[in-house]
Amino acid sequence: MPVRMQMEQLQRVASLCTALEWVTSCPDVSARDAVLRLIGEEVSATIQGVIYSIESERGASEAA
């Protein structure tokens, strides 16, 4: 994954984190819990994708 794509993924995480501010003011506890769970899953998946990409690139450059 090119660095540009990694940066886009990390910017997406930053946007999701900004959404947490909105979620914390949500009066509906069930909705807040559901949205928090979704945001957490998205953040985790995005970060894992970037980590995998960096580790793959590092492994490929070390093998060369």
Side-chain angles (χ1 to χ4, degrees):
M1 179 183 293
V3 173
R4 180 185 59 79
M5 291 177 73
Q6 292 170 355
M7 289 302 297
E8 288 173 1
Q9 290 292 331
L10 293 174
Q11 288 171 345
R12 183 164 186 254
V13 169
S15 295
L16 289 169
C17 289
T18 301
L20 290 174
E21 293 178 23
W22 175 85
V23 172
T24 58
S25 66
C26 180
D28 184 339
V29 175
S30 297
R32 183 174 53 226
D33 290 346
V35 173
L36 283 173
R37 196 171 309 116
L38 287 172
I39 290 173
E41 290 172 4
E42 285 292 318
V43 168
S44 179
T46 301
I47 290 172
Q48 289 302 315
V50 172
I51 290 170
Y52 175 80
S53 171
I54 291 169
E55 288 176 344
S56 295
E57 288 176 6
R58 187 180 305 159
S61 66
E62 289 176 2

